[in-house]
Structure formats: C-alpha cells, structure tokens
Amino acid sequence: MLLGGLGFFLFGMNVMSSGLEKLSGGKLQNALQSATSHWLKSLVLGAGITIAIQSSSALTVMLVGLVNSGIMSLGSTVGVIMGSNIGTTLTAWILSLSGIESDGWIALLKPANFSPLVAFIGIALIMLGKTTKKKDTGNILIGFAVLMFGMELMGDAMEPIAAFAESNPEKFETIISVFSNPLIGVLVGAVFTGIIQSSAASVAILQNLANTTGMVSFGMAIPIIMGQNIGTCVTSLISSIGVNKNAKRVAVIHILFNLIGTSIVLLIYIPVYYIFRSEVIIDFLASNVTPFKIAVAHSIFNFFTTVLLLPFQKALVKIANIIIKDKPGKEEKYTFIDDRLLNTPAFAISECKNRCIEMASKAETAIISAINLCGNYDERRANDVMTIESDIDKYEDKLGTFLVKLSRNELSDKDNAEVSRMLHSIGDFERLGDHAVNLIKAAREMHEKNLKFTDDAMADLKVAHRALTDIVKLTTEAYIKNDLSLAKEVEPLEQVIDTILASIKSRHITRLKVGECTIEHGFVLNDILTNFERVSDHCSNIAVTMIEVVQNAYDTHEYLNALKSIENEEFSEKYKELSVQYKLR
C-alpha cells in the first residue's frame, strides 16, 4: 500500500506539474532566460518557477539543457538553483494540511475532505472544457487530487506501524531511535530520496509517519530533512550525462550547494546534539513533530542554507570549474537545442521561437547583402553570405527535426499553433538563403565577365532592389514581432513586385530588339529577376502562414483569392499606394 500510495503521489505530482507548465506557456522560459547574476532576481525566479511547476528537479534538468545549448551562462544558474530550494518547500506546506485535526469548518482544509470535490471539478473541466486551457486546468486539479489520494494511501499504509507503536511503544521507540543518530538520519534521507528522485515524496512519507505514529521527534526528523536535500541531486546528476562541460557544472553546483549547506548545518547540529545538551535543547529534540512542524523545519533549513551560501555564488562556480576542468585548446561545443527541453514543451517552444527569430534575421541579412552585391560585387562580402546560408541550412535541419519531435507531445492550442507556424516558415527562410546564394552567383558572373547593364536597366533594377529589400524587412519584422497587421501588408507589396519584374523583362526585350542589350545580359538579368520573384513569393508564404495559423485555416489559394478579389477595397488601395511608391521611370 505504501508503494501504491507513493506511485499515486508521484503520478499526481507529474500530472499537476505538466498542467502547470503548459498553462504558463513560454513565460517561464522567457523569465528564466532573463535571469542575470543579480542574486535577488535569480533567487525569485528560481523559487517562482519551482512553485509554478512543482519540481526543483525538473527546473535543474531545464537549466542543464539551457546551458548545454549555450542559452544560459553557468553563472546565471546559481541563484536560480538556490531559489528552487526555497520554492520546493511549498509542497511540504500543502501536505501539512493532512495533519489538521478539527471537527469545525477548519477541517475543510484537510485534503481528504476537499480533494474529492477538486477531482470532480477537474474531470468536469477535462470532459466539458472546449479549450486546451480549461483541460489543462482540469489536469492540474486531477493531479492534485491524485497526489492527495496517494498521500492518504501512504497514511493508511502507516496504520499498522501506528498500531504496533501504540501496543509496543518501548520497542518501537528503540527501533526508530536509530534515526536520532544525525549521520544515519542524513544517510537514510539521502538514499531514499535519491531512489524515488523526489524530495516532496520523501517529505510526504516522513509527514505521514509523524502524523500516524505520533512518535517522530525533531531529533529524528531534522537529519532526515537534511539528507533529503542531498538525495534530490540525483536527478540533476543523471541529466548531466552526455552534455558539455558547462552543463555538467550546473549539476555539480546543485550538488555542491546542497552538500555544503547540509555539511555546515550538520557541523552545527552535531555539537549541539552531543555536547551542548542543555535541558531546553534535549526537550526540543525529544518533542514529537507534526506534518506542520516538518514543513516549518524543512523551510527553515532551506532558507538558512540559501542565505548562508548566497554570497558565495562565484565561489561555487570556481569550485565547479576546478572539479570539471576544461581541456587545453579544446573549444566548448553547445547543442543547438537540447532534447532535455522536450520534457517541458512550453519551454522548448519558447526556445524554438528564439531560434526561428535568429534564422529569420540571418535570412534577412543574407538576402539584403546579396541584393546589394548585384552590380557592386565584393568577394569577401560574398563569402560572408555563403557562410550565413550554410548556418541557415543547419537551422532548418535541426529546428525541423526538433519541432517534429515536439509536435508529438500533448500541447495546448496556443502551442500547437506556434509549432505549426514555425514548421511552415522555416522551409521558406531556408529557401531565402538559397536564393541569396543564387544572386551571389549572378553578381559574380557579372563581375567576372565585366558585364554592365544600361543606365535604364540599372534604374529599373534599383526600384526592384528597393521593393525587394523592403518586403524582406517587412516580412522579417512581422515574423519576429508576430505582428499580423504587418503580415497583411506583405501581399500587396508582393503583387507590386511581380508587376515591376514583368515590366523590367518587357523593357529588356524592347532594348534587345534595338541592340542596346545583348543575349548574355538577358541571361544574367533573367537569373536575377527570377530569384527576386522567388524571394517575394517566399515572403508572401511566410506572411500568409502567420495569418492562417491564427485563423486555423490552411487553404493558401483560397485565402489569396479572397484577398485579391475586387471586393477587397483595403487590398486594392494598398496596392495602388505601393504601385506609386515603387513606380518605374
């Protein structure tokens, strides 16, 4: 029954944590990335995020993943780790409600009395809720109810122990007195917590044991609580397997923080326990604890160790660097996006968005640089564009693979829409990079063959250059800001560019007939104009995708036909305005 109760407890906590994390979306991720070396901000973030996702271990795994991807620096994680130790104490306070003994209205606070109602509301939201947000809220409530049911089962499992303690108090006291030895208590707390990988669950079991038997003293509980903080480091230790050195150092800092904090408290506790045994201390350590008192002791211990080590954040980083040494001449490699982030989808989506924004910026830089090189070729700048295009290809490959993995998870409606937007757009950004390379090749050919267009042709191309540069900038800005009003301005400009390019081709044929241009000029010009047209098409695809994702409709042709219809006065007016702005001479 104890194992079954533990299973329900851990499952409920997992469901509740998952629901909380989904509801928070990318807000927690953005907050986490904004963490700096300022101790207060990092501390509050660590505590807040741990409270929100109800797991300090999950937060540490996230930190390992973020550092492994090069997103966060090692130094900025220290304060967050310390804050997570404070945030994790909330669970013990919630569980302490199980120890309430009253027949009045205050008894309603006891989980056994209100968790069935919470479960009913949760399942109602899951079955009747029409939005993912309501279903996620239902999952949180169901998770909480299951967690409390597991708590009750563990309490029931303790009944035989309580009965034995009641009938054989001296024998039971002799058995559990072994935990009064501080070193044994710390060891038991650490090993048990390490096995189940949840300090919240081990605290819950201790609270249940205290509640049912009434024979757990402060002298037994305090060392076990110390050990629980060491045991919870096992999860971060496991997550550090196969990561770069900086990410390994995150796990080392987590272990150092808990190990040093526990050792210092133990060094204070042992002399107090064995040497300075005043009557007050003896009475205090011998007094029995309740779930509430365990929550208090747990909080005091975690607050004390955090305040104690807070000034030594840089020292912890230095020690971690000494333990995990860099190899001379070997540069640290970072993972593009760490697969550990898949365990927290909302965090993973937020990071994918950041990577997509980087990809969009690179594509914009590549295209605009390539446009400027047409007629003004420079080999060094051309090589820079080729390097950027290679980076864009890597972004498309790695992002696409990660997003497909991510899409297999259960996501909220908002997150699903965001994944769709990214999956649809990364291919277009990759193609923008390809067209930048094509333009570089055309510019190089003109340079090597010393080809020069006529003044009229160059004047026409300058208008096309300006229009294409503007549509690329407009599309990138709309995508980065996720601004639909800007996205709606892309299509009219795309239509104007199509008209401009058709006119340039027609004018070239006229010049060709009178002998002002040659066939060789025509081949190069056609390559440039074809790539211009494709670039504007991909900009249109990106903008249309943004709009369709919001409207939850993916029929591009239908949307574009409706947009360009005679009845659409807004589109017509914008088209006329832009036609004047980019008019050929």
Side-chain angles (χ1 to χ4, degrees):
M1 189 180 287
L2 178 65
L3 291 175
L6 180 61
F8 276 110
F9 183 92
L10 293 173
F11 177 72
M13 177 163 281
N14 185 57
V15 171
M16 187 171 69
S17 173
S18 177
L20 285 164
E21 195 267 329
K22 281 183 187 177
L23 272 185
S24 69
K27 293 176 184 176
L28 295 180
Q29 163 77 355
N30 294 332
L32 196 56
Q33 280 185 246
S34 70
T36 64
S37 56
H38 190 278
W39 65 270
L40 183 59
K41 188 175 182 180
S42 299
L43 201 69
V44 171
L45 277 173
I49 293 172
T50 304
I51 289 170
I53 63 175
Q54 282 293 291
S55 176
S56 59
S57 298
L59 175 59
T60 308
V61 171
M62 274 183 243
L63 292 175
V64 170
L66 291 170
V67 172
N68 193 45
S69 299
I71 300 159
M72 285 185 74
S73 65
L74 179 64
S76 63
T77 65
V78 184
V80 179
I81 290 170
M82 291 181 173
S84 72
N85 267 37
I86 294 174
T88 197
T89 60
L90 178 69
T91 309
W93 284 100
I94 294 172
L95 299 179
S96 70
L97 297 174
S98 62
I100 292 174
E101 292 184 8
S102 174
D103 295 328
W105 65 270
I106 206 166
L108 292 173
L109 294 175
K110 194 168 183 178
N113 294 332
F114 70 81
S115 58
L117 179 61
V118 170
F120 178 79
I121 295 171
I123 199 67
L125 286 171
I126 292 170
M127 294 179 70
L128 303 176
K130 293 182 180 179
T131 64
T132 308
K133 190 173 183 180
K134 288 182 180 178
K135 292 181 184 294
D136 287 338
T137 304
N139 278 326
I140 293 169
L141 297 177
I142 283 289
F144 179 79
V146 171
L147 180 151
M148 287 303 177
F149 177 69
M151 187 77 173
E152 289 296 317
L153 271 184
M154 286 191 284
D156 291 342
M158 300 291 180
E159 289 299 333
I161 299 174
F164 175 78
E166 191 176 343
S167 58
N168 301 278
E170 293 181 3
K171 190 177 288 186
F172 181 75
E173 191 173 346
T174 303
I175 294 170
I176 65 169
S177 63
V178 68
F179 297 112
S180 297
N181 184 311
L183 295 178
I184 292 177
V186 169
L187 183 63
V188 169
V191 171
F192 186 75
T193 306
I195 291 170
I196 64 175
Q197 291 188 40
S198 174
S199 59
S202 62
V203 169
I205 290 173
L206 181 62
Q207 286 176 312
N208 264 312
L209 185 65
N211 192 42
T212 52
T213 64
M215 296 183 69
V216 177
S217 67
F218 270 111
M220 301 169 194
I222 291 173
I224 293 174
I225 289 170
M226 292 187 210
Q228 287 166 341
N229 272 39
I230 296 173
T232 196
C233 298
V234 169
T235 308
S236 58
L237 193 62
I238 293 171
S239 73
S240 68
I241 297 171
V243 297
N244 63 39
K245 292 186 183 300
N246 260 348
K248 289 181 188 294
R249 288 172 187 136
V250 174
V252 170
I253 288 171
H254 188 214
I255 294 167
L256 283 172
F257 171 66
N258 286 294
L259 199 59
I260 293 171
T262 301
S263 299
I264 291 172
V265 175
L266 203 57
L267 287 173
I268 298 170
Y269 181 83
I270 288 176
V272 168
Y273 185 82
Y274 285 109
I275 302 171
F276 309 110
R277 289 178 64 84
S278 68
E279 191 175 332
V280 175
I281 293 172
I282 292 171
D283 290 343
F284 170 74
L285 293 176
S287 63
N288 292 334
V289 294
T290 62
F292 175 78
K293 289 177 180 178
I294 288 174
V296 172
H298 188 226
S299 296
I300 290 173
F301 173 74
N302 281 18
F303 270 95
F304 178 74
T305 54
T306 300
V307 171
L308 189 68
L309 294 175
L310 200 55
F312 303 101
Q313 293 186 50
K314 291 181 180 178
L316 289 172
V317 173
K318 286 181 181 178
I319 296 171
N321 283 323
I322 292 170
I323 295 172
I324 307 292
K325 294 180 180 177
D326 288 317
K327 291 184 179 179
K330 191 173 182 181
E331 191 176 340
E332 189 74 283
K333 291 183 179 179
Y334 293 99
T335 303
F336 184 77
I337 299 181
D338 199 292
D339 279 356
R340 288 164 185 79
L341 297 179
L342 289 170
N343 296 324
T344 49
F347 280 71
I349 287 167
S350 180
E351 188 45 42
C352 286
K353 283 168 65 177
N354 293 334
R355 295 296 190 184
C356 281
I357 287 170
E358 291 172 12
M359 187 181 184
S361 298
K362 285 179 179 289
E364 178 188 11
T365 302
I367 281 292
I368 292 175
S369 297
I371 292 170
N372 292 333
L373 286 173
C374 292
N376 187 26
Y377 185 76
D378 179 87
E379 186 65 28
R380 183 183 60 80
R381 287 161 59 200
N383 288 333
D384 290 342
V385 172
M386 301 292 279
T387 302
I388 293 171
E389 192 275 335
S390 178
D391 289 341
I392 292 170
D393 285 346
K394 292 175 184 175
Y395 270 75
E396 196 265 344
D397 178 42
K398 293 181 183 297
L399 265 173
T401 302
F402 189 85
L403 285 168
V404 169
K405 291 179 185 176
L406 187 56
S407 65
R408 294 170 187 157
N409 290 336
E410 290 185 14
L411 304 175
S412 66
D413 292 338
K414 184 180 177 182
D415 288 342
N416 262 320
E418 192 57 51
V419 170
S420 296
R421 182 176 81 105
M422 290 187 282
L423 279 171
H424 279 83
S425 59
I426 58 175
D428 287 299
F429 284 125
E430 190 273 333
R431 292 297 295 149
L432 288 179
D434 292 343
H435 290 300
V437 171
N438 293 341
L439 288 171
I440 290 293
K441 291 177 180 177
R444 184 182 287 132
E445 184 180 353
M446 287 181 63
H447 176 71
E448 290 174 351
K449 294 181 178 180
N450 199 26
L451 295 174
K452 294 188 183 296
F453 293 122
T454 63
D455 291 342
D456 288 341
M458 284 304 298
D460 291 346
L461 278 173
K462 282 181 181 178
V463 176
H465 285 183
R466 185 160 54 88
L468 198 70
T469 299
D470 288 349
I471 196 173
V472 170
K473 287 182 176 179
L474 179 64
T475 304
T476 307
E477 184 181 1
Y479 187 84
I480 290 173
K481 293 180 178 178
N482 198 18
D483 189 327
L484 294 186
S485 61
L486 288 176
K488 289 176 181 177
E489 294 180 16
V490 172
E491 192 57 35
L493 183 51
E494 193 272 338
Q495 288 296 299
V496 169
I497 289 172
D498 283 350
T499 304
I500 292 170
L501 299 180
S503 297
I504 293 174
K505 288 179 182 179
S506 178
R507 291 185 179 198
H508 169 71
I509 292 171
T510 301
R511 288 191 295 270
L512 190 63
K513 287 178 179 179
V514 297
E516 292 181 7
C517 290
T518 66
I519 292 293
E520 194 168 21
H521 283 91
F523 286 144
V524 176
L525 181 64
N526 187 64
D527 283 346
I528 292 173
L529 296 181
T530 299
N531 281 288
F532 277 15
E533 184 180 3
R534 296 290 182 269
V535 168
S536 67
D537 288 343
H538 287 297
C539 288
S540 171
N541 291 344
I542 292 165
V544 170
T545 295
M546 288 175 60
I547 296 165
E548 288 184 329
V549 164
V550 173
Q551 296 175 348
N552 199 25
Y554 296 95
D555 193 331
T556 302
H557 293 294
E558 183 180 334
Y559 168 77
L560 290 176
N561 289 334
L563 187 66
K564 300 170 189 175
S565 66
I566 299 172
E567 292 81 10
N568 196 326
E569 293 182 7
E570 185 182 351
F571 180 85
S572 299
E573 287 298 321
K574 191 67 180 177
Y575 176 79
K576 289 175 185 177
E577 179 190 327
L578 293 170
S579 296
V580 173
Q581 185 178 341
Y582 300 101
K583 187 177 181 179
L584 297 176
R585 288 191 304 178

